[in-house]
């Protein structure tokens, strides 16, 4: 039988992990999610000072930023999956005790 106290404590730890992830990793890189919009990508790249001097590197910078975005989204999905599986395993393990 799963106790209510145990499940609340496990959920609090799960929630704290998400808050910590948001504060330390996600918040500083949230702009990467917006790069999927072409208007934001153009605006972001136009603000870079070295792109004004070398417009031929624009395509390379777009590919670089999109690769950073893909890596960010992949790491975020991996964190959510691992944290959720760990949470469920802890709940099932607590129910088995």
């Amino acid at each position: 039988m799963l106790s209510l106290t145990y499940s609340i404590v496990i959920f609090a730890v799960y929630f704290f992990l998400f808050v910590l992830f948001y504060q330390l990793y996600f918040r500083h890189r949230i702009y990467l999610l917006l790069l999927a919009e072409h208007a934001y990508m153009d605006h972001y790249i136009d603000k870079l000072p070295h792109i004004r001097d070398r417009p031929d590197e624009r395509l390379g910078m777009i590919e670089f930023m999109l690769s950073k975005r893909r890596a960010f989204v992949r790491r975020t999905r991996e964190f959510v999956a691992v944290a959720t599986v760990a949470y469920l395993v802890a709940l099932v393990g607590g129910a088995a005790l």
Side-chain angles (χ1 to χ4, degrees):
M1 179 90 179
L2 184 63
S3 79
L4 182 61
T5 306
Y6 178 78
S7 61
I8 289 174
V9 167
I10 294 298
F11 180 75
V13 169
Y14 179 69
F15 183 77
F16 178 72
L17 281 174
F18 270 92
V19 168
L20 197 64
F21 177 77
Y22 174 78
Q23 290 293 325
L24 297 177
Y25 183 75
F26 191 84
R27 185 173 54 130
H28 305 292
R29 294 167 180 87
I30 200 161
Y31 72 94
L32 290 171
L33 293 177
L34 298 172
L35 292 177
E37 298 294 327
H38 296 291
Y40 185 80
M41 174 70 85
D42 290 338
H43 172 72
Y44 184 82
I45 290 188
D46 288 340
K47 285 176 42 177
L48 298 174
H50 65 282
I51 292 296
R52 289 187 200 128
D53 300 335
R54 297 181 228 140
D56 55 326
E57 292 183 5
R58 183 178 184 86
L59 195 58
M61 182 56 75
I62 289 173
E63 290 174 12
F64 172 72
M65 294 305 292
L66 287 177
S67 71
K68 281 181 67 171
R69 181 186 183 280
R70 278 191 298 273
F72 170 72
V73 170
R74 184 180 61 246
R75 284 188 206 112
T76 302
R77 285 181 182 158
E78 288 171 356
F79 170 78
V80 169
V82 168
T84 303
V85 166
Y87 173 66
L88 293 175
V89 166
L91 282 178
V92 169
L97 292 177

